[in-house]
């Protein structure tokens, strides 16, 4: 396995492609119906609610840490080797809580195996029209998964622009979207290279702060 490490300076942003919301999930046995009740339960029983993540320093871990800071609560973190394992144990009731990407868990939510309390971000999603967004709850928690395209740093601007145009053309193809992505669970967000670079820098600054304050170390 290669030990080579790469950073932001090694890549040239091409375009942001998709954004998908993270959601707060609980096992049906947890006696809460909404985020307000979850916060009240967590404050009454600090560190007694377990949440699973896909590992230390993972996106689900960061989302949970930011939520705990903003809500003034403490959960117990159970890191797994993958998001799939943490969701499986949530369904089985081995952990009570999870912060996960909506497309990953949507089939289980639809089947009634787990409950969604809120969508992390500013908007409700049409696949979950009855689930409130955090912006409605007065909590400034905005965590979304995203996918973008990069090229190695130093690639010519002509190539970056051509790739940007071709990828954005694909993203606007309705047939492609309906076939390969979970309808209503993904927001298509084609951008210019400059807009994508600005987005990346903002994300890096925001989550670096969360990592420092929570003293998170990747495995």
């Amino acid at each position: 396995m290669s030990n080579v490490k790469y950073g932001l300076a090694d890549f040239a942003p091409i375009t942001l492609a998709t954004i998908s919301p993270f959601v707060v999930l609980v096992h049906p046995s947890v006696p809460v119906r909404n985020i307000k009740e979850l916060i009240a339960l967590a404050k009454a029983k600090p560190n007694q609610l377990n949440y699973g993540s896909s590992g230390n320093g993972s996106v689900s871990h960061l989302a949970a840490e930011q939520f705990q800071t903003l809500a003034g609560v403490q959960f117990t973190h159970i890191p797994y080797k993958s998001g799939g394992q943490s969701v499986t144990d949530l369904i089985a009731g081995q952990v009570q809580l999870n912060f996960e990407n909506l497309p990953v868990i949507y089939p289980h939510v639809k089947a009634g195996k787990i409950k969604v309390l809120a969508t992390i971000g500013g908007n409700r999603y049409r696949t979950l029209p009855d689930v409130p967004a955090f912006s409605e709850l007065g909590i400034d928690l905005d965590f979304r998964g995203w996918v973008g395209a990069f090229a190695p740093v130093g690639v010519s601007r002509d190539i970056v622009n051509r790739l940007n145009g071709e990828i954005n053309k694909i993203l606007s193809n309705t047939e492609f979207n309906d076939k390969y992505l979970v309808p209503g669970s993904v927001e298509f967000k084609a951008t210019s290279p400059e807009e994508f670079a600005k987005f990346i820098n903002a994300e890096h600054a925001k989550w670096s702060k969360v990592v420092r304050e929570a003293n998170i170390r990747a495995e």
Side-chain angles (χ1 to χ4, degrees):
M1 182 180 293
S2 173
N3 291 320
V4 177
K5 296 182 179 180
Y6 296 98
L8 291 178
D10 296 303
F11 299 96
I14 296 174
T15 181
L16 182 61
T18 65
I19 290 178
S20 54
F22 269 64
V23 291
V24 181
L25 308 160
V26 295
H27 185 267
S29 64
V30 179
V32 299
R33 295 166 295 177
N34 51 53
I35 291 295
K36 182 178 179 180
E37 292 181 358
L38 174 64
I39 292 173
L41 179 63
K43 286 184 175 180
K45 299 182 177 181
N47 291 310
Q48 292 186 42
L49 291 177
N50 299 330
Y51 78 90
S53 79
S54 51
N56 287 324
S58 64
V59 287
S60 50
H61 185 195
L62 295 181
E65 288 296 335
Q66 191 184 37
F67 174 79
Q68 290 176 95
T69 298
L70 292 172
V73 298
Q74 287 293 324
F75 303 127
T76 295
H77 180 209
I78 309 295
Y80 288 81
K81 292 183 178 180
S82 72
Q85 290 178 331
S86 68
V87 171
T88 297
D89 269 12
L90 176 66
I91 294 171
Q94 299 300 314
V95 293
Q96 291 82 51
L97 184 68
N98 207 328
F99 295 74
E100 190 51 81
N101 204 333
L102 177 55
V104 173
I105 53 81
Y106 180 67
H108 305 302
V109 173
K110 193 174 181 182
K113 296 179 180 179
I114 43 182
K115 296 189 297 185
V116 180
L117 299 185
T119 299
I120 299 176
N123 302 305
R124 294 193 183 199
Y125 273 70
R126 64 179 182 272
T127 46
L128 299 170
D130 297 326
V131 176
F134 263 84
S135 60
E136 302 173 46
L137 306 174
I139 300 175
D140 185 24
L141 180 61
D142 187 358
F143 197 105
R144 295 166 289 173
W146 57 269
V147 174
F150 296 84
V153 69
V155 167
S156 74
R157 182 66 192 208
D158 287 344
I159 291 177
V160 169
N161 287 341
R162 181 175 178 183
L163 289 171
N164 178 274
E166 292 298 325
I167 293 170
N168 290 348
K169 189 185 300 182
I170 293 171
L171 293 175
S172 65
N173 185 301
T174 303
E175 182 180 353
F176 171 83
N177 296 343
D178 291 342
K179 184 176 181 179
Y180 292 105
L181 297 170
V182 180
S185 296
V186 174
E187 175 186 350
F188 301 99
K189 193 72 174 179
T191 67
S192 69
E194 292 77 17
E195 289 170 333
F196 188 29
K198 184 177 180 180
F199 172 85
I200 294 167
N201 289 334
E203 287 286 285
H204 184 266
K206 177 170 66 175
W207 298 113
S208 292
K209 183 174 183 290
V210 173
V211 168
R212 288 194 304 270
E213 291 179 348
N215 194 29
I216 294 173
R217 296 183 182 276
E219 295 179 329

